[in-house]
Amino acid sequence: MSTYAQKKGFGATLWDYLTTVDHKKIAILYLIAGGFFFVVGGLEAVFIRIQLAVPNNDFVSAGLFNEIITMHGTTMIFLAAMPLVFAFMNAVMPLQIGARDVAFPFVNALGFWLFFFGGVFLNLSWFFDGAPDAGWTSYASLAMASKGHGVDFYVLGLQISGLGTLIGGINFLVTIINMRAPGMTYMRMPLFTWTTFVTSALILFAFPPLTVGLVLMMFDRMFGSNFFVTTMGGNTVIWEHLFWIFGHPEVYILILPAFGIFSEIFPMFSRKRLFGYSSMVFATVLIGFLGFMVWAHHMFTTGLGPVANAIFAVATMAIGVPTGIKIFNWLFTIWGGSVKFTTPMHWALAFIPSFLAGGVTGVMLAAAAADYQYHDTYFVVAHFHYVIVGGVVFAIFAGTHLYWPKMFGTMLNETLGKITFWLFFIGFHMTFFIQHFLGLWGMPRRVFTYLPGQGFETSNLISSIGAVFMSLAVIVMLYNIIMTSVKNVKVGNDPWGDGRTLEWALPSPPPFYNFKQLPLVRGLDAYWLEKMEGKKGMTPAEPLGDIHMPNSSFLPFVIAFGLFVAAFGALFNMDDKAWSVPVIIIGLLITFGAMFLRSVKDDHGFHIHKEELMEDDNDKGVKA
Amino acid sequence: MANSQLNSGNPRVDIEYRRKKSAEEMKQQVVSFALMIFLTLIAFAAVAMKGASAWFVVPFILLLAAVQVVFQLYYFMHMKHKGHEAPSMFLYSGLLVGLITILAFTTIIWW
């Protein structure tokens, strides 16, 4: 199999990506799809800011505004942030633990295609009488009253993409537990691997409640059940609980990998090992654990009663402790280090104060009594954009610059990267800082316009100008990506020069089998350790031998496509369309047929033989 | 994992030791199987018994069910063996999350 470096035509490349089970290519698919949805969600954000730039604006109607804010939130959380985070997990985690792939490569591909078809399905709602308009939380009392098919698109689309996320998470768990290289003990795992591990555990426990909630809502809206219909004895508050039992861990599912990326960047560019590694691991696990005991802080004003509010308020404030541990550890990592101000380091340094501001307003909101004042105002909007943009989106930008060479073999332009950073950093604070005050002055969330003379005009205009800066930043980065790909200047193993973990010991991009010989890990920051002892690469832990690899398969695409078809049938079933039931059956037949084919057809994969590995590339000699 | 095979091909395997281990294992499984049947009979008896209120019978049967789950996991699915730390950690975490959910639903939504 030494043919992988050959030039391929467009059709062959496309087919390669449609059938791939290689974690590095799936990472690229996640990056492209997530990036696309990020741009879509970003455009929706721009429309929101145009509408709110001046009072009494009629850029969009009230109904369309509701659809835009719903789709902005849903797209950004489920279709942009999560897949982009998954892109880095897929690209980097197996390399960091010294594995040749994830535990179940076929399932990994299936996870991607389920997410992708779910996302496409959700966005197709724009072309069928209207997108969902009940907010990204889709509270049942609102969603049940929503006319048209918007909410049905939400329910079915998220169900399908949620399946993909769930099996992706399980896959990562199995990989990290079982596939670590010799010597890679749990307490030698890089922090990004640790956060991937805890995140995957959160996915495992948090997604089932969402699935249950979505199933209940699907039956209510499409098949006439009454779980959330109060006149028939149902209870809409159950949806709120189910949603937030999922929804609160979900925000940690997003932020923990972001912490992981920054925990890689700080030691790399401070040229010092991470301060307090074991306390970082402890804090990560503790945040994951506490993440399940605080969901009701999203519902303080629902009327849970003072006892429940007090318990959840205290539990919420407790999360500030492990997060504080992390912040101090990052600061102490930088302190006394020989800091190199690269683009990823810019994002990382800006992340600390930005995220901290979001954390502080989080503790303010956690005070249940005060929350009655903040609830449903722009203060809340400012808070969660500070944590999600200041935390997760900063990490995604940082990770894109940091791991671009590892994923594509080329280095993004540093000057353009810093321009992106400054435009985005200024635009972000300009847009969202002022929103704290708008909230405190009384501007409610989710309103499509406001009247002049209430003191909201100037602040909203400033906020909208900030959005222009952020848009420019994204455009500069897209330009940077295109220019870098056109120039196509290849780089070596460790292009930053300061790589500490195993992925930097491999060529950029790594060969499809990752490690010719599994590396021997002798401590934390395995590659750094070897470099400090004057060695060029890792010591192999095994003699050179045949490598067993999985075959590519088109079936994951087909399985996901079948569910996509069936979802259309289910959606139009409530209109009494005659064709809807056959469409459901055809879709499910495609899915189960493909699954059946996968089960009965033996697919043993193939071996890369020792001789091929030896002649493959001669720059790194094969040892022992 | 500890469910190691007798026919491992390893010449240093102590067959005598393995055989003794397996016999012991078998004995435990038979005992726990008998106990499980016995617990099931008790559960049936509790329902059939005249005069026992539902407030006693339902929690009692749930308790017996919990005991049976423990037998199942530890004796039949080998969770008492070494090498099952990760599965048990995830089982208990899942149990915790589930119980908190039930606790919250019963205390602040339904009653």
Side-chain angles (χ1 to χ4, degrees), chain A residues 350-390:
Chain A
F351 151 80
I352 291 184
S354 307
F355 184 79
L356 199 60
V360 169
T361 52
V363 178
M364 288 170 74
L365 287 162
D371 183 68
Y372 276 82
Q373 296 301 311
Y374 308 131
H375 182 79
D376 239 345
T377 69
Y378 259 82
F379 189 81
V380 178
V381 177
H383 158 70
F384 67 69
H385 280 94
Y386 259 80
V387 283
I388 293 183
V389 181

Side-chain angles (χ1 to χ4, degrees), chain A residues 448-481:
Chain A
F448 85 106
T449 192
Y450 52 93
L451 293 172
Q454 293 180 316
F456 299 153
E457 292 100 322
T458 322
S459 314
N460 268 304
L461 188 63
I462 292 172
S463 185
S464 294
I465 295 170
V468 176
F469 279 84
M470 287 196 277
S471 314
L472 288 175
V474 175
I475 291 168
V476 171
M477 192 169 92
L478 289 178
Y479 173 77
N480 192 356
I481 287 172

Side-chain angles (χ1 to χ4, degrees), chain A residues 275-296:
Chain A
F275 187 91
Y277 170 82
S278 37
S279 69
M280 284 300 245
V281 172
F282 169 72
T284 307
V285 176
L286 193 61
I287 290 175
F289 181 73
L290 288 174
F292 279 96
M293 335 236 147
V294 298
W295 78 89

Side-chain angles (χ1 to χ4, degrees), chain A residues 19 24 85 118 134 138 168 202 213 221 246 282 301 386 401 440 444 458 494 556 562 564 609:
Chain A
T19 59
K24 298 176 289 297
V85 157
S138 201
L202 292 187
R221 280 193 60 102
F246 149 76
F282 169 72
T301 58
Y386 259 80
H401 287 90
L440 295 177
T458 322
D494 186 12
F564 177 73
H609 295 290

Side-chain angles (χ1 to χ4, degrees), chain A residues 219-240:
Chain A
F219 273 77
D220 268 18
R221 280 193 60 102
M222 288 166 227
F223 306 112
S225 62
N226 299 308
F227 295 109
F228 304 128
V229 185
T230 36
T231 50
M232 305 296 285
N235 188 347
T236 58
V237 179
I238 293 176
W239 167 270
E240 294 185 30

Side-chain angles (χ1 to χ4, degrees), chain A residues 123-138:
Chain A
N123 273 280
L124 282 179
S125 62
W126 289 113
F127 305 102
F128 292 86
D129 62 55
D133 57 357
W136 87 280
T137 55
S138 201

